[in-house]
Amino acid sequence: MKGIAIGFSDASKEILKRLKKTEFINEIYIGSSSQIDKKIKDSIECLKPKLILKKKWKELELIIFVGSVGASIRLINSLLSSKDKDPGIIVIDKKGSKIIPLIGAHQSNVQNIAFQICNLFGGEIIETNNSIEENYLNIDSFGYQWGWKRSGDTKDWSKLVIKQANNKEIFCSQSSGNDLWKTSDSGKNITQISEKDNEPNKASFNISIFSNHKNTWHPAMLWIGLGCERNTSKQLIEDSIQKFLATNNLSPLSIAGYATIDIKKDEQAFLKISRENKLPIKFFRAELLSTINVPNPSNIVLNEIGTPSVAEAACILAAGEGAKLLGEKKIFKNIDLSKSKFGAVTIAVARSKNQYYPLTGEIHVVGIGPGDISYLTNDARKALSKCSIWIGYKMYLDLIKPLKRKDQVIIESNLTEERERCEKAIKLSEEGIKVALISSGDAGVYGMAGLLLELIQTMKKELRPSFEIHPGISSMQLAAALGGAPLMNDFCSISLSDKLTPWESIEKRIEGALLGDFVITIFNPQSIERNWQLKRAIKLVLGHRPGNTPVLVGRQVGRKNQSKRFFSLDSIPLEEIDMLSIIIIGNSKTTLVDDIFLTPRGYL
């Protein structure tokens, strides 16, 4: 994203620096009243705001002003042209406590960015758009969150938004793409109609691969199969693709990628088209292509390169299971002898079962802390506000539901379905959707981050989804804070669950921790099925530490029924310990004095 931030005074410096660290802002400035003042203040360039805007306005997607709303409006007033061309505008007060999406809340996805900044700064969003208050779906922008592209005149979309604001019924016909958006609270307010019932154009907007509708969101589901004479011109190939799509009423905005035979890996026109459109190109071996049944095989092609089909077979393979050819393949040749169009190209198109647009997809593994929303970091809140879908164990999702917007979707799963959650997140990110994978505590401590990364490591590097890990407060940290400061010196954590780790390995780790005199935090101490491991672990510890060693047992830490109790090592009530408990066992230096649980660092 091409974005800048402009502060109106020196007081905005810290906010500007924080904005520069986000993915939204490339450059930051402090507005100067002087025409030629180009001084640098704390690494921030000082320039007159009007000069900055005059120079950069047409190339920008986002401008954030830090300061007065009135001053911001006066600066941009003469530069505004149209809703679909102007950059998005956000105004933030100098404390970062008020965030106002001012211009382009739809086209530039400014509203979603404003929510992210709001959560990052711990501020409050001032929403002037009525979609939030009225639980409206932003019908002219929501598709961007689902990996889609939009066609139709901006004025027609604006009329549709006005119609919605006047409480008129909005109809949608969806024949392609992910339909999870319908399960959101906002999506439920849109009336769904079938393709059969969509004549004559009854739908207010469509979600489709076709190009004959007025207002349409286009999921990327079309794979273009290509075969060509060596060194065929890029212009001929591009024109041929456009003609083929137009003939078959298919939208170029629904192209997911290109596919051909692997001997074309150095075909420059193919590579340039793929690069310029930022769409993938898949190459397949002749042996694999020859296994695909196609309606129009060619013996000439078979004799020349070892497969009866390139374009048709390649697009079917690229589209994957459930692929469907659309229209008959067609050969295009240069017939006007144009210098820019030469060679010959074969075009075929297959429709995939699922959309594919990984360019915009992301996975955010979010550690939500031990329970209460107050323990959620601003970084985690920002990630949650960015994602259209939250996936997680139901109990953890319930803890953060108050933060969910009406346009976001929750996918709940059971406790033992960790792998399924990760695989679902990967699949959705490949479709172009931003997904939050929820983990309690810290996602990297017995959380979801490890399993996700294990699965990602098995994928080819160029196919791996974009991901980010957002750490959270571990229950170990909160339990320690409730009791005092038992982790002030070296410590370790050990899980007693032997479902994924052999008990022999767990015992070795306990013995190693005892040998090193570590404070020991015990996770997953005991369940109905695992009722002997804790007893065995305590017995091992008692072999190295005295019975009066202080111990903290925290239960439901960070949640409604939170409790903490102190015991000595030889008096832990084992029958009262369960999977909601966490145990911290002191080392040889740990003390418990007047309910202050402390492992001295050695300062005194």
Side-chain angles (χ1 to χ4, degrees):
M1 169 166 275
K2 294 180 181 178
I4 65 171
I6 302 173
F8 293 148
S9 69
D10 285 355
S12 63
K13 284 187 297 188
E14 294 309 312
I15 295 290
L16 290 172
K17 288 177 182 177
R18 290 181 68 185
L19 288 170
K20 182 70 185 299
K21 292 178 181 178
T22 69
E23 66 267 39
F24 317 121
I25 297 301
N26 310 109
E27 300 169 10
I28 54 176
Y29 301 90
I30 289 180
S32 168
S33 58
S34 169
Q35 291 277 4
I36 10 181
D37 186 0
K38 291 189 178 182
K39 294 184 297 181
I40 304 296
K41 293 185 179 181
D42 292 337
S43 303
I44 305 175
E45 190 173 358
C46 297
L47 283 172
K48 194 171 184 180
K50 283 188 177 180
L51 294 179
I52 302 169
L53 297 178
K54 185 177 180 181
K55 180 181 178 182
K56 295 182 175 288
W57 182 266
K58 291 184 179 180
E59 67 186 55
L60 291 173
E61 296 174 78
L62 176 68
I63 302 170
I64 297 180
F65 293 109
V66 183
S68 159
V69 174
S72 304
I73 292 173
R74 285 191 291 272
L75 275 172
I76 65 174
N77 186 45
S78 62
L79 298 169
L80 294 172
S81 59
S82 65
K83 190 175 180 181
D84 57 331
K85 293 179 181 178
D86 294 329
I89 308 291
I90 294 175
V91 182
I92 304 176
D93 71 330
K94 62 185 179 182
K95 294 180 180 179
S97 61
K98 301 288 188 294
I99 295 90
I100 306 173
L102 196 63
I103 299 290
H106 294 284
Q107 268 59 41
S108 305
N109 204 20
V110 169
Q111 188 181 65
N112 188 269
I113 293 171
F115 274 117
Q116 293 179 59
I117 293 172
C118 174
N119 284 305
L120 183 64
F121 288 174
E124 175 189 2
I125 191 166
I126 309 299
E127 181 58 61
T128 58
N129 185 318
N130 68 0
S131 62
I132 298 298
E133 183 179 344
E134 301 292 338
N135 192 20
Y136 288 156
L137 183 74
N138 285 331
I139 48 182
D140 60 343
S141 66
F142 86 101
Y144 297 126
Q145 298 170 239
W146 294 89
W148 305 335
K149 296 176 183 176
R150 201 188 76 180
S151 69
D153 189 274
T154 302
K155 291 180 181 178
D156 289 331
W157 282 102
S158 296
K159 290 176 183 176
L160 192 55
V161 172
I162 294 170
K163 181 180 178 181
Q164 182 187 43
N166 289 326
N167 292 317
K168 298 291 177 63
E169 190 171 12
I170 302 297
F171 298 94
C172 170
S173 174
Q174 179 170 7
S175 58
S176 306
N178 193 303
D179 62 358
L180 279 172
W181 68 274
K182 297 177 183 178
T183 66
S184 71
D185 294 336
S186 299
K188 290 173 184 175
N189 289 333
I190 303 296
T191 302
Q192 304 296 323
I193 59 175
S194 67
E195 285 184 271
K196 186 195 300 185
D197 297 329
N198 193 24
E199 296 297 338
N201 285 324
K202 181 180 179 181
S204 310
F205 70 97
N206 298 268
I207 303 168
S208 166
I209 59 172
F210 300 111
S211 57
N212 62 335
H213 300 299
K214 196 173 183 181
N215 298 319
T216 308
W217 286 107
H218 298 282
M221 302 181 73
L222 302 179
W223 286 91
I224 311 296
L226 300 169
C228 75
E229 290 181 357
R230 179 60 71 178
N231 297 321
T232 294
S233 70
K234 173 173 171 283
Q235 189 66 53
L236 176 63
I237 296 170
E238 288 180 323
D239 287 355
S240 301
I241 291 173
Q242 292 297 325
K243 287 177 183 176
F244 186 97
L245 294 175
T247 300
N248 291 280
N249 185 32
L250 299 171
S251 172
L253 297 178
S254 281
I255 296 176
Y258 310 94
T260 188
I261 191 168
D262 62 355
I263 60 175
K264 294 294 184 180
K265 282 186 175 179
D266 60 349
E267 193 70 54
Q268 291 306 304
F270 287 178
L271 299 177
K272 285 179 182 177
I273 290 170
S274 171
R275 185 168 57 249
E276 289 176 6
N277 290 291
K278 296 181 180 179
L279 292 171
I281 182 167
K282 294 183 178 182
F283 299 96
F284 299 100
R285 293 178 292 106
E287 295 86 349
L288 185 57
L289 292 169
S290 64
T291 64
I292 304 300
N293 291 322
V294 297
N296 303 291
S298 168
N299 287 327
I300 296 174
V301 176
L302 175 63
N303 294 332
E304 189 172 335
I305 58 176
T307 174
S309 171
V310 173
E312 287 182 326
C315 67
I316 289 172
L317 281 170
E321 185 180 354
K324 180 182 178 182
L325 280 174
L326 302 177
E328 293 230 356
K329 77 171 184 180
K330 186 165 184 181
I331 299 172
F332 296 84
K333 295 181 179 179
N334 176 27
I335 55 175
D336 62 4
L337 302 180
S338 165
K339 291 182 180 179
S340 63
K341 300 180 186 179
F342 48 85
V345 61
T346 303
I347 308 289
V349 175
R351 169 180 175 164
S352 60
K353 184 179 179 181
N354 299 310
Q355 60 188 59
Y356 185 81
Y357 193 53
L359 183 68
T360 61
E362 298 173 6
I363 302 175
H364 293 267
V365 191
V366 181
I368 63 170
D372 193 279
I373 288 178
S374 63
Y375 296 114
L376 204 63
T377 67
N378 283 351
D379 176 62
R381 287 173 180 262
K382 174 179 175 286
L384 289 172
S385 64
K386 185 178 190 178
C387 296
S388 301
I389 297 178
W390 299 357
I391 301 176
Y393 173 42
K394 183 181 184 305
M395 186 172 78
Y396 301 153
L397 289 169
D398 287 344
L399 295 170
I400 56 172
K401 268 186 181 177
L403 299 177
K404 186 182 80 71
R405 295 195 311 273
K406 301 289 187 181
D407 62 322
Q408 293 175 311
V409 172
I410 278 181
I411 298 178
E412 299 176 344
S413 69
N414 298 319
L415 189 59
T416 58
E417 297 172 353
E418 290 83 3
R419 180 176 183 130
E420 290 83 354
R421 289 201 287 273
C422 291
E423 290 173 341
K424 185 72 171 177
I426 291 172
K427 177 180 174 293
L428 290 168
S429 70
E430 289 175 338
E431 293 187 9
I433 302 168
K434 294 176 177 60
V435 185
L437 186 60
I438 307 303
S439 188
S440 67
D442 179 20
V445 179
Y446 307 120
M448 296 298 296
L451 175 56
L452 178 77
L453 297 186
E454 281 187 72
L455 291 171
I456 287 176
Q457 281 181 334
T458 65
M459 303 172 70
K460 290 182 179 179
K461 191 173 183 179
E462 62 273 17
L463 298 177
R464 292 173 183 170
S466 170
F467 68 89
E468 189 174 347
I469 314 296
H470 303 271
I473 295 173
S474 168
S475 57
M476 168 178 64
Q477 293 171 279
L478 182 55
L482 292 173
L487 309 182
M488 274 296 293
N489 215 316
D490 296 333
F491 63 92
C492 68
S493 64
I494 297 175
S495 170
L496 296 190
S497 174
D498 56 357
K499 287 191 173 183
L500 300 175
T501 305
W503 180 254
E504 293 76 14
S505 298
I506 295 173
E507 280 207 12
K508 286 180 181 178
R509 292 168 187 174
I510 295 172
E511 289 167 354
L514 293 169
L515 185 64
D517 197 28
F518 285 88
V519 173
I520 301 173
T521 298
I522 293 179
F523 282 82
N524 305 315
Q526 189 165 252
S527 68
I528 295 174
E529 295 176 354
R530 297 183 302 100
N531 54 15
W532 59 268
Q533 287 89 341
L534 178 59
K535 186 176 181 180
R536 172 62 181 159
I538 297 301
K539 185 177 180 181
L540 286 172
V541 178
L542 281 168
H544 292 75
R545 294 182 186 173
N548 64 353
T549 301
V551 174
L552 168 66
V553 176
R555 190 174 185 280
Q556 291 269 49
V557 294
R559 299 177 189 173
K560 186 176 180 181
N561 299 316
Q562 170 181 286
S563 67
K564 66 166 185 180
R565 291 191 293 170
F566 295 109
F567 301 96
S568 60
L569 185 59
D570 58 6
S571 67
I572 300 175
L574 300 181
E575 69 283 354
E576 298 177 18
I577 307 297
D578 59 14
M579 287 291 284
L580 298 175
S581 305
I582 188 165
I583 301 170
I584 301 179
I585 302 172
N587 69 4
S588 62
K589 304 293 183 183
T590 304
T591 61
L592 178 61
V593 178
D594 299 329
D595 284 346
I596 298 175
F597 193 30
L598 172 65
T599 304
R601 181 67 190 263
Y603 294 114
L604 303 183

